[in-house]
Amino acid sequence: MTRTVADLVGSTLADLGVGHVFGVVGSGNFAVTNALRAAGIPFTAARHEGGAASMADGYGRLGALPPVLSLHQGCGLTNAVTGIGEAAKSRTPMLVLAADTAGATVNSNFRIDQDALVASVGAVPERVHSAASAVADVVRAYRTAVHGRRTVVLNLPLDVQAAPAPDDARTPTLTAPLPVRPARRAVEDLAALVEAAERPVFVAGRGGRGAGPEISALAAAAGALVATSAVANGLFRGEEFDLGISGGFSAPLTAELIAGADLVVGWGCALNMWTMRHGSLIGASAKVVQVDDDLAALGAHRPVDLGVHGDCAATAADVLDALTTKSTGYRTAEVSARLAEARWWNDTPTPDVSTAEQIDPRAFSRGLDALLPAERVVAIDSGNFMGYPSTYLRVPDQNGFCFTQAFQSIGLGLASGIGAALAQPHRLAVVGTGDGGFWMGISELETIVRLGIPMLVAVYDDAAYGAEVHHFGDGSHGDPDLGTVTFPDADIAAVARGYGARGVTVRTKADLEEVAAWAADPRGVMVVDAKIASDGGAWWLQEAFKGH
């Protein structure tokens, strides 16, 4: 049988190194998907292309190798665009193989401008142009995705896919580029700021996730407290002076300590409105430094006193070498004692607004955290609820947290949790979602049940699109009709059982007993329909709506 370009694309990607393929297979991507499978790459069939995209995104954030998303031409791609947009805005290294109509089929029902579509959501459009260029085209897309940390859509025209592959096609060996080393002057300037600071705080973001040991070593020498943006949650877990997440999710004590800093250094962190609470966590006299290997990121969200163009690990190591003195700084016995007592929201007293029919979301989250194994991977959907699982469900390290919020779309949590579970198979998968997001993504409940992977899906169920209810119903918008964003109560646990999962409804703390029994020996999928009491609008919600 003649080897085609579709076969060549699949084998080339397998040779370069990809970890998992997700997709919905149609006629246009049938051959290339099977080529990847034949080369030994695992494949997960989703129930919807949007779900497949979020699975790939979740896998790409936490896996050792990049994922592949395989799509049919036209409508297969459009169905996946929201997930692709989330991945692109999050700089997830991911390859999308999108079949495309042949050049001559100008009247095809599937014909759209796929390049323009994916570029509009921030992904990088690429194309296999011919049989002769196929290997070079795939290699270019792979390098951009992996070395450039981008989501790349590689369009595969059907006529090119079907063409015979060249007999002499060979996959080249790729080497990763060396990390960007900071300029000596920048290192000296940052070292001087660190040595002059009395209360330094380091905040690591997505770009600092691979530099934890180097940032920690510099922080110890500088007397700096360490925190992360939400997407890097867990990076410093277990350290004495870890502040957890900086921003809207900060506990009262950690927010106070960050706001009291006289030097804030962002390591691969945008220092945007979310991480710095619209600047309120940066003191009026604090110096602000940003370190990033992407020159365009420096100062993009706020003015900085020093921008350092460099890899985070390399920069932290160079600055440590340049220090002439070490300092206790912010790492005092008093701060240590206060953090040990009230570092987490779990340890922060809050009112209990539970009723006989609805449980306080904080009490529910505390209960889950205590019941579930510590070795977990937590994926978070978007919505009014999302601060609770993000802050109360503690994770063991930065590979235990999947936070798909760059596009702020609800409905991605369950699918991204499936990808995260496959990337971290030794950990219990936990998904935190609202009822609105759960209903949007419910088709993939069948997928996780079919896979047989243990997973707990915690549905924070207020029978509403809660963010809109609290924002427009807070009295500042008159007396609006909220009927468009509220719904009748539904038996989510019963629906989950219909999909083959276990389901339990939680209205009180006593109802968590069935969850505790499952958590002691997790098997299959457990969907917890938590009927949550109104929180009056989550504490982070006011911060979020300031940006709209």
Side-chain angles (χ1 to χ4, degrees):
M1 190 172 183
T2 303
R3 189 170 186 240
T4 66
V5 169
D7 298 322
L8 179 58
V9 170
S11 63
T12 300
L13 282 174
D15 289 344
L16 291 170
V18 293
H20 204 102
V21 187
F22 302 88
V24 175
V25 173
S27 58
N29 62 326
F30 185 88
V32 72
T33 305
N34 278 336
L36 282 158
R37 294 179 70 209
I41 309 303
F43 170 70
T44 294
R47 287 300 186 176
H48 190 278
E49 289 91 350
S54 292
M55 290 178 203
D57 184 22
Y59 186 97
R61 292 167 190 250
L62 304 182
L65 290 170
V68 174
L69 170 63
S70 180
L71 302 171
H72 187 273
Q73 64 271 27
C75 52
L77 176 61
T78 59
N79 277 346
V81 163
T82 297
I84 292 171
E86 168 65 36
K89 290 174 182 292
S90 295
R91 295 292 292 267
T92 301
M94 179 169 127
L95 282 150
V96 182
L97 301 182
D100 200 359
T101 54
T105 56
V106 294
N107 293 319
S108 169
N109 288 352
F110 295 120
R111 191 174 186 85
I112 59 172
D113 189 342
Q114 297 193 173
D115 288 352
L117 175 64
V118 301
S120 72
V121 295
V124 178
E126 285 285 3
R127 182 169 295 271
V128 173
H129 295 281
S130 67
S133 67
V135 171
D137 295 334
V138 172
V139 169
R140 182 177 63 253
Y142 184 91
R143 288 177 63 106
T144 301
V146 175
H147 300 157
R149 302 194 304 274
R150 301 294 299 276
T151 296
V152 178
V153 178
L154 183 61
N155 291 295
L156 305 173
L158 296 182
D159 51 344
V160 177
Q161 281 195 60
D167 293 332
D168 60 349
R170 298 289 183 272
T171 304
T173 300
L174 297 187
T175 56
L178 293 174
V180 178
R181 210 85 203 185
R184 186 64 196 172
R185 173 66 182 277
V187 169
E188 293 170 351
D189 288 349
L190 179 50
L193 287 171
V194 166
E195 289 180 331
E198 296 179 356
R199 299 177 307 281
V201 169
F202 292 174
V203 184
R206 179 181 291 108
R209 291 177 79 248
E214 293 82 3
I215 296 171
S216 289
L218 177 60
L225 308 183
V226 289
T228 69
S229 67
V231 293
N233 181 24
L235 181 62
F236 304 113
R237 191 55 38 84
E239 295 194 18
E240 181 182 0
F241 292 97
D242 174 24
L243 300 176
I245 299 174
S246 173
F249 294 161
S250 293
L253 171 61
T254 55
E256 173 197 327
L257 293 170
I258 295 167
D262 58 358
L263 172 67
V264 176
V265 183
W267 299 89
C269 177
L271 300 177
N272 58 23
M273 66 178 186
W274 309 105
T275 308
M276 290 291 117
R277 291 190 181 179
H278 295 268
S280 66
L281 292 187
I282 298 178
S285 60
K287 297 290 185 181
V288 180
V289 178
Q290 194 178 355
V291 180
D292 208 293
D293 64 1
D294 181 359
L295 190 60
L298 300 177
H301 291 273
R302 59 158 297 115
V304 295
D305 296 288
L306 176 64
V308 180
H309 183 215
D311 172 80
C312 289
T315 301
D318 287 356
V319 173
L320 179 59
D321 287 342
L323 293 183
T324 58
T325 61
K326 294 185 178 181
S327 171
T328 300
Y330 226 166
R331 297 192 168 205
T332 65
E334 179 192 1
V335 169
S336 177
R338 294 183 71 197
L339 286 172
E341 182 179 344
R343 186 194 323 263
W344 310 114
W345 273 106
N346 308 57
D347 304 318
T348 303
T350 56
D352 190 338
V353 298
S354 299
T355 68
E357 295 297 318
Q358 296 175 317
I359 190 168
D360 187 309
R362 295 161 292 199
F364 171 65
S365 303
R366 279 194 192 94
L368 273 188
D369 184 65
L371 293 176
L372 298 176
E375 197 64 21
R376 64 184 72 150
V377 57
V378 178
I380 308 295
D381 208 329
S382 191
N384 177 65
F385 76 93
M386 72 183 189
Y388 299 114
S390 295
T391 54
Y392 284 86
L393 301 185
R394 291 167 287 194
V395 295
D397 56 34
Q398 74 275 18
N399 291 319
F401 194 66
C402 182
F403 191 68
T404 51
Q405 304 296 333
F407 212 176
Q408 294 182 250
S409 171
I410 71 171
L412 310 186
L414 178 57
S416 63
I418 294 173
L422 290 167
Q424 298 288 320
H426 59 292
R427 292 177 168 172
L428 176 65
V430 181
V431 172
T433 181
D435 54 304
F438 180 76
W439 290 121
M440 278 193 183
I442 197 171
S443 61
E444 304 311 338
L445 183 58
E446 187 280 332
T447 302
I448 188 63
V449 169
R450 170 169 31 97
L451 292 175
I453 297 172
M455 174 182 281
L456 184 136
V457 182
V459 184
Y460 290 72
D461 182 2
D462 61 359
Y465 293 135
E468 284 67 32
V469 167
H470 294 300
H471 180 60
F472 291 103
D474 65 358
S476 62
H477 296 82
D479 186 22
D481 178 3
L482 298 176
T484 55
V485 290
T486 55
F487 301 88
D489 189 30
D491 192 344
I492 287 175
V495 173
R497 290 192 288 270
Y499 275 80
R502 293 179 65 175
V504 59
T505 300
V506 172
R507 297 182 183 275
T508 68
K509 294 176 185 177
D511 294 331
L512 286 169
E513 289 182 5
E514 187 174 342
V515 180
W518 178 88
D521 183 22
R523 296 176 185 271
V525 180
M526 167 63 86
V527 176
V528 182
D529 180 13
K531 305 296 187 180
I532 60 170
S534 174
D535 56 13
W539 76 94
W540 62 272
L541 190 63
Q542 290 79 11
E543 297 294 328
F545 275 108
K546 288 178 184 177
H548 292 273

mmCIF file of all heavy atoms in Angstrom, residues 88-117:
data_model
loop_
_atom_site.group_PDB
_atom_site.id
_atom_site.type_symbol
_atom_site.label_atom_id
_atom_site.label_comp_id
_atom_site.label_asym_id
_atom_site.label_seq_id
_atom_site.Cartn_x
_atom_site.Cartn_y
_atom_site.Cartn_z
ATOM 1 N N ALA A 88 -4.237 28.873 23.240
ATOM 2 C CA ALA A 88 -3.372 29.881 22.628
ATOM 3 C C ALA A 88 -3.092 31.029 23.581
ATOM 4 O O ALA A 88 -1.953 31.495 23.714
ATOM 5 C CB ALA A 88 -4.014 30.404 21.345
ATOM 6 N N LYS A 89 -4.135 31.510 24.277
ATOM 7 C CA LYS A 89 -3.953 32.617 25.209
ATOM 8 C C LYS A 89 -3.123 32.200 26.423
ATOM 9 O O LYS A 89 -2.513 33.040 27.080
ATOM 10 C CB LYS A 89 -5.322 33.152 25.651
ATOM 11 C CG LYS A 89 -6.077 33.879 24.542
ATOM 12 C CD LYS A 89 -7.492 34.254 24.980
ATOM 13 C CE LYS A 89 -8.250 34.938 23.849
ATOM 14 N NZ LYS A 89 -7.707 36.266 23.520
ATOM 15 N N SER A 90 -3.099 30.897 26.708
ATOM 16 C CA SER A 90 -2.318 30.376 27.834
ATOM 17 C C SER A 90 -0.924 29.927 27.406
ATOM 18 O O SER A 90 -0.175 29.405 28.231
ATOM 19 C CB SER A 90 -3.059 29.192 28.472
ATOM 20 O OG SER A 90 -4.260 29.619 29.043
ATOM 21 N N ARG A 91 -0.584 30.088 26.156
ATOM 22 C CA ARG A 91 0.714 29.671 25.617
ATOM 23 C C ARG A 91 0.977 28.182 25.896
ATOM 24 O O ARG A 91 2.078 27.777 26.273
ATOM 25 C CB ARG A 91 1.847 30.532 26.194
ATOM 26 C CG ARG A 91 1.817 31.997 25.812
ATOM 27 C CD ARG A 91 2.105 32.223 24.329
ATOM 28 N NE ARG A 91 3.474 31.897 23.971
ATOM 29 C CZ ARG A 91 4.488 32.769 23.935
ATOM 30 N NH1 ARG A 91 4.275 34.023 24.261
ATOM 31 N NH2 ARG A 91 5.701 32.387 23.575
ATOM 32 N N THR A 92 -0.065 27.356 25.697
ATOM 33 C CA THR A 92 0.103 25.912 25.845
ATOM 34 C C THR A 92 0.804 25.351 24.620
ATOM 35 O O THR A 92 0.322 25.536 23.497
ATOM 36 C CB THR A 92 -1.260 25.214 26.018
ATOM 37 O OG1 THR A 92 -1.919 25.753 27.168
ATOM 38 C CG2 THR A 92 -1.086 23.708 26.177
ATOM 39 N N PRO A 93 1.922 24.648 24.799
ATOM 40 C CA PRO A 93 2.581 24.017 23.647
ATOM 41 C C PRO A 93 1.708 22.872 23.130
ATOM 42 O O PRO A 93 1.570 21.834 23.782
ATOM 43 C CB PRO A 93 3.902 23.497 24.225
ATOM 44 C CG PRO A 93 4.055 24.151 25.547
ATOM 45 C CD PRO A 93 2.663 24.415 26.043
ATOM 46 N N MET A 94 1.106 23.061 21.971
ATOM 47 C CA MET A 94 0.101 22.107 21.492
ATOM 48 C C MET A 94 0.038 22.161 19.974
ATOM 49 O O MET A 94 0.128 23.232 19.365
ATOM 50 C CB MET A 94 -1.246 22.495 22.113
ATOM 51 C CG MET A 94 -2.434 21.670 21.758
ATOM 52 S SD MET A 94 -3.801 22.148 22.872
ATOM 53 C CE MET A 94 -5.093 22.529 21.701
ATOM 54 N N LEU A 95 -0.097 20.991 19.350
ATOM 55 C CA LEU A 95 -0.216 20.899 17.896
ATOM 56 C C LEU A 95 -1.627 20.470 17.531
ATOM 57 O O LEU A 95 -2.118 19.454 18.028
ATOM 58 C CB LEU A 95 0.794 19.896 17.345
ATOM 59 C CG LEU A 95 2.220 20.428 17.239
ATOM 60 C CD1 LEU A 95 3.222 19.307 17.410
ATOM 61 C CD2 LEU A 95 2.411 21.125 15.898
ATOM 62 N N VAL A 96 -2.260 21.239 16.686
ATOM 63 C CA VAL A 96 -3.590 20.914 16.192
ATOM 64 C C VAL A 96 -3.456 20.484 14.739
ATOM 65 O O VAL A 96 -2.954 21.248 13.908
ATOM 66 C CB VAL A 96 -4.544 22.120 16.296
ATOM 67 C CG1 VAL A 96 -5.935 21.742 15.813
ATOM 68 C CG2 VAL A 96 -4.580 22.655 17.715
ATOM 69 N N LEU A 97 -3.855 19.260 14.443
ATOM 70 C CA LEU A 97 -3.880 18.787 13.065
ATOM 71 C C LEU A 97 -5.293 18.975 12.544
ATOM 72 O O LEU A 97 -6.218 18.257 12.944
ATOM 73 C CB LEU A 97 -3.472 17.314 12.989
ATOM 74 C CG LEU A 97 -2.084 16.964 13.515
ATOM 75 C CD1 LEU A 97 -1.807 15.477 13.331
ATOM 76 C CD2 LEU A 97 -1.014 17.794 12.815
ATOM 77 N N ALA A 98 -5.467 19.960 11.680
ATOM 78 C CA ALA A 98 -6.791 20.270 11.146
ATOM 79 C C ALA A 98 -6.821 19.928 9.667
ATOM 80 O O ALA A 98 -6.097 20.534 8.866
ATOM 81 C CB ALA A 98 -7.114 21.747 11.355
ATOM 82 N N ALA A 99 -7.629 18.947 9.302
ATOM 83 C CA ALA A 99 -7.833 18.701 7.883
ATOM 84 C C ALA A 99 -8.367 19.978 7.238
ATOM 85 O O ALA A 99 -8.984 20.814 7.905
ATOM 86 C CB ALA A 99 -8.815 17.547 7.690
ATOM 87 N N ASP A 100 -8.108 20.142 5.941
ATOM 88 C CA ASP A 100 -8.577 21.326 5.225
ATOM 89 C C ASP A 100 -9.029 20.896 3.840
ATOM 90 O O ASP A 100 -8.578 19.867 3.309
ATOM 91 C CB ASP A 100 -7.468 22.375 5.134
ATOM 92 C CG ASP A 100 -7.996 23.773 4.857
ATOM 93 O OD1 ASP A 100 -9.219 23.922 4.708
ATOM 94 O OD2 ASP A 100 -7.188 24.715 4.796
ATOM 95 N N THR A 101 -9.912 21.678 3.257
ATOM 96 C CA THR A 101 -10.403 21.341 1.932
ATOM 97 C C THR A 101 -9.290 21.467 0.899
ATOM 98 O O THR A 101 -8.353 22.252 1.067
ATOM 99 C CB THR A 101 -11.568 22.266 1.541
ATOM 100 O OG1 THR A 101 -11.147 23.626 1.692
ATOM 101 C CG2 THR A 101 -12.772 22.021 2.438
ATOM 102 N N ALA A 102 -9.396 20.686 -0.139
ATOM 103 C CA ALA A 102 -8.415 20.769 -1.223
ATOM 104 C C ALA A 102 -8.531 22.121 -1.915
ATOM 105 O O ALA A 102 -9.605 22.738 -1.946
ATOM 106 C CB ALA A 102 -8.653 19.637 -2.224
ATOM 107 N N GLY A 103 -7.425 22.583 -2.463
ATOM 108 C CA GLY A 103 -7.401 23.907 -3.065
ATOM 109 C C GLY A 103 -8.423 24.106 -4.160
ATOM 110 O O GLY A 103 -8.966 25.208 -4.324
ATOM 111 N N ALA A 104 -8.729 23.052 -4.914
ATOM 112 C CA ALA A 104 -9.630 23.179 -6.062
ATOM 113 C C ALA A 104 -11.102 23.094 -5.688
ATOM 114 O O ALA A 104 -11.972 23.433 -6.491
ATOM 115 C CB ALA A 104 -9.306 22.090 -7.094
ATOM 116 N N THR A 105 -11.405 22.668 -4.462
ATOM 117 C CA THR A 105 -12.806 22.455 -4.080
ATOM 118 C C THR A 105 -13.397 23.741 -3.497
ATOM 119 O O THR A 105 -13.758 23.814 -2.322
ATOM 120 C CB THR A 105 -12.936 21.301 -3.069
ATOM 121 O OG1 THR A 105 -12.107 21.587 -1.936
ATOM 122 C CG2 THR A 105 -12.508 19.994 -3.688
ATOM 123 N N VAL A 106 -13.514 24.737 -4.344
ATOM 124 C CA VAL A 106 -13.922 26.065 -3.871
ATOM 125 C C VAL A 106 -15.374 26.096 -3.412
ATOM 126 O O VAL A 106 -15.775 27.012 -2.686
ATOM 127 C CB VAL A 106 -13.696 27.119 -4.976
ATOM 128 C CG1 VAL A 106 -12.213 27.275 -5.263
ATOM 129 C CG2 VAL A 106 -14.456 26.756 -6.251
ATOM 130 N N ASN A 107 -16.178 25.125 -3.813
ATOM 131 C CA ASN A 107 -17.587 25.107 -3.424
ATOM 132 C C ASN A 107 -17.886 24.095 -2.322
ATOM 133 O O ASN A 107 -19.050 23.808 -2.047
ATOM 134 C CB ASN A 107 -18.460 24.804 -4.649
ATOM 135 C CG ASN A 107 -18.411 25.923 -5.676
ATOM 136 O OD1 ASN A 107 -18.431 27.099 -5.320
ATOM 137 N ND2 ASN A 107 -18.348 25.560 -6.952
ATOM 138 N N SER A 108 -16.863 23.584 -1.676
ATOM 139 C CA SER A 108 -17.086 22.611 -0.611
ATOM 140 C C SER A 108 -17.860 23.230 0.549
ATOM 141 O O SER A 108 -17.607 24.376 0.952
ATOM 142 C CB SER A 108 -15.744 22.081 -0.088
ATOM 143 O OG SER A 108 -15.917 21.340 1.094
ATOM 144 N N ASN A 109 -18.807 22.468 1.092
ATOM 145 C CA ASN A 109 -19.534 22.933 2.274
ATOM 146 C C ASN A 109 -18.610 23.160 3.462
ATOM 147 O O ASN A 109 -18.926 23.934 4.378
ATOM 148 C CB ASN A 109 -20.595 21.899 2.672
ATOM 149 C CG ASN A 109 -21.763 21.852 1.709
ATOM 150 O OD1 ASN A 109 -21.871 22.687 0.827
ATOM 151 N ND2 ASN A 109 -22.636 20.879 1.871
ATOM 152 N N PHE A 110 -17.490 22.479 3.488
ATOM 153 C CA PHE A 110 -16.557 22.577 4.609
ATOM 154 C C PHE A 110 -15.578 23.741 4.471
ATOM 155 O O PHE A 110 -14.793 23.989 5.382
ATOM 156 C CB PHE A 110 -15.746 21.286 4.738
ATOM 157 C CG PHE A 110 -16.551 20.075 5.103
ATOM 158 C CD1 PHE A 110 -16.601 18.974 4.258
ATOM 159 C CD2 PHE A 110 -17.268 20.030 6.282
ATOM 160 C CE1 PHE A 110 -17.340 17.850 4.591
ATOM 161 C CE2 PHE A 110 -18.016 18.916 6.626
ATOM 162 C CZ PHE A 110 -18.051 17.819 5.775
ATOM 163 N N ARG A 111 -15.610 24.439 3.373
ATOM 164 C CA ARG A 111 -14.571 25.434 3.101
ATOM 165 C C ARG A 111 -14.757 26.694 3.945
ATOM 166 O O ARG A 111 -15.805 27.348 3.908
ATOM 167 C CB ARG A 111 -14.559 25.800 1.618
ATOM 168 C CG ARG A 111 -13.340 26.624 1.208
ATOM 169 C CD ARG A 111 -13.306 26.823 -0.318
ATOM 170 N NE ARG A 111 -12.088 27.485 -0.735
ATOM 171 C CZ ARG A 111 -10.935 26.872 -0.985
ATOM 172 N NH1 ARG A 111 -10.857 25.559 -0.835
ATOM 173 N NH2 ARG A 111 -9.877 27.536 -1.379
ATOM 174 N N ILE A 112 -13.746 27.037 4.732
ATOM 175 C CA ILE A 112 -13.663 28.304 5.447
ATOM 176 C C ILE A 112 -12.200 28.741 5.407
ATOM 177 O O ILE A 112 -11.318 27.959 5.043
ATOM 178 C CB ILE A 112 -14.129 28.194 6.912
ATOM 179 C CG1 ILE A 112 -13.269 27.168 7.683
ATOM 180 C CG2 ILE A 112 -15.607 27.833 7.007
ATOM 181 C CD1 ILE A 112 -13.538 27.124 9.175
ATOM 182 N N ASP A 113 -11.947 29.969 5.812
ATOM 183 C CA ASP A 113 -10.566 30.447 5.888
ATOM 184 C C ASP A 113 -9.992 30.004 7.236
ATOM 185 O O ASP A 113 -10.059 30.731 8.225
ATOM 186 C CB ASP A 113 -10.526 31.969 5.747
ATOM 187 C CG ASP A 113 -9.099 32.505 5.596
ATOM 188 O OD1 ASP A 113 -8.143 31.775 5.934
ATOM 189 O OD2 ASP A 113 -8.954 33.662 5.155
ATOM 190 N N GLN A 114 -9.441 28.793 7.273
ATOM 191 C CA GLN A 114 -8.975 28.231 8.536
ATOM 192 C C GLN A 114 -7.785 28.992 9.095
ATOM 193 O O GLN A 114 -7.662 29.146 10.316
ATOM 194 C CB GLN A 114 -8.646 26.738 8.360
ATOM 195 C CG GLN A 114 -9.869 25.920 7.987
ATOM 196 C CD GLN A 114 -9.691 24.413 8.106
ATOM 197 O OE1 GLN A 114 -10.651 23.680 7.945
ATOM 198 N NE2 GLN A 114 -8.497 23.949 8.372
ATOM 199 N N ASP A 115 -6.917 29.488 8.249
ATOM 200 C CA ASP A 115 -5.775 30.267 8.720
ATOM 201 C C ASP A 115 -6.244 31.510 9.478
ATOM 202 O O ASP A 115 -5.767 31.808 10.581
ATOM 203 C CB ASP A 115 -4.887 30.697 7.547
ATOM 204 C CG ASP A 115 -4.086 29.552 6.946
ATOM 205 O OD1 ASP A 115 -4.108 28.450 7.534
ATOM 206 O OD2 ASP A 115 -3.444 29.755 5.900
ATOM 207 N N ALA A 116 -7.165 32.245 8.877
ATOM 208 C CA ALA A 116 -7.644 33.480 9.506
ATOM 209 C C ALA A 116 -8.397 33.181 10.793
ATOM 210 O O ALA A 116 -8.275 33.909 11.786
ATOM 211 C CB ALA A 116 -8.543 34.243 8.532
ATOM 212 N N LEU A 117 -9.163 32.095 10.790
ATOM 213 C CA LEU A 117 -9.931 31.746 11.981
ATOM 214 C C LEU A 117 -9.020 31.494 13.171
ATOM 215 O O LEU A 117 -9.225 32.059 14.248
ATOM 216 C CB LEU A 117 -10.789 30.508 11.702
ATOM 217 C CG LEU A 117 -11.563 29.950 12.895
ATOM 218 C CD1 LEU A 117 -12.601 30.953 13.387
ATOM 219 C CD2 LEU A 117 -12.226 28.622 12.535
#
